[in-house]
Amino acid sequence: MKITGACHCGDITYEAELDPARFGICHCTDCQVTSASAFRTIAVVKEAEFRLLTGTPKTYIKQAESGNRRALTFCSTCGAGLWATDEKGESGLVNLRAGTITERRDLTPRYEIWCSSAMPWLARFDGTERHDKGFT
């Protein structure tokens, strides 16, 4: 499925090809903090199927709960989080922030990762495959 997206102010835009089965929820503590929420909804796309259309995003390197170093990309104008990759780009994957995807209403989370960090007061989502840690 072809998707498009943008930061809140519209300075940064992108397009990608997404397999809807790669749309899910991350409960890791890093996603909780960087999203200022109980979890983050992500869309994992292949780097070869992702294209930055406009703008120059800013990148912050963070050591994740897993120990991996992650490059978190955001708009330096409005501060909207856009995507994350491994620091060196070796995985070939881009984790898009679902709130920036124009077609987000057409997508349903298929999985949840880092459920071991999920907030205990958060209701379970119906129909998702749950994982205590991450997966590839």
Side-chain angles (χ1 to χ4, degrees), residues 86-103:
D86 59 292
E87 181 182 22
K88 297 179 181 173
E90 295 169 346
S91 72
L93 299 174
V94 176
N95 293 349
L96 297 171
R97 305 326 194 187
T100 67
I101 298 172
T102 305
E103 301 80 8

Side-chain angles (χ1 to χ4, degrees), residues 6-127:
C7 63
H8 190 260
C9 70
D11 283 354
I12 299 173
T13 62
Y14 64 84
E15 66 182 12
E17 191 65 34
L18 170 67
D19 173 355
R22 300 288 299 187
F23 188 75
I25 295 168
C26 182
H27 295 282
C28 80
T29 56
D30 286 335
C31 280
Q32 291 170 9
V33 172
T34 59
S35 69
S37 185
F39 58 88
R40 182 185 298 279
T41 310
I42 58 174
V44 181
V45 300
K46 294 177 183 173
E47 187 174 19
E49 296 178 349
F50 170 80
R51 191 168 77 122
L52 179 64
L53 299 174
T54 63
T56 305
K58 193 98 162 125
T59 300
Y60 165 69
I61 304 297
K62 168 79 171 101
Q63 184 164 331
E65 182 178 346
S66 64
N68 296 328
R69 291 179 55 84
R70 305 285 296 158
L72 307 179
T73 305
F74 61 96
C75 175
S76 63
T77 302
C78 68
L82 296 162
W83 61 82
T85 61
D86 59 292
E87 181 182 22
K88 297 179 181 173
E90 295 169 346
S91 72
L93 299 174
V94 176
N95 293 349
L96 297 171
R97 305 326 194 187
T100 67
I101 298 172
T102 305
E103 301 80 8
R104 62 190 173 269
R105 291 183 63 86
D106 300 329
L107 298 164
T108 301
R110 306 280 181 90
Y111 62 88
E112 295 176 66
I113 56 175
W114 291 99
C115 292
S116 58
S117 302
M119 293 291 101
W121 45 261
L122 189 64
R124 288 191 61 166
F125 294 91
D126 291 334

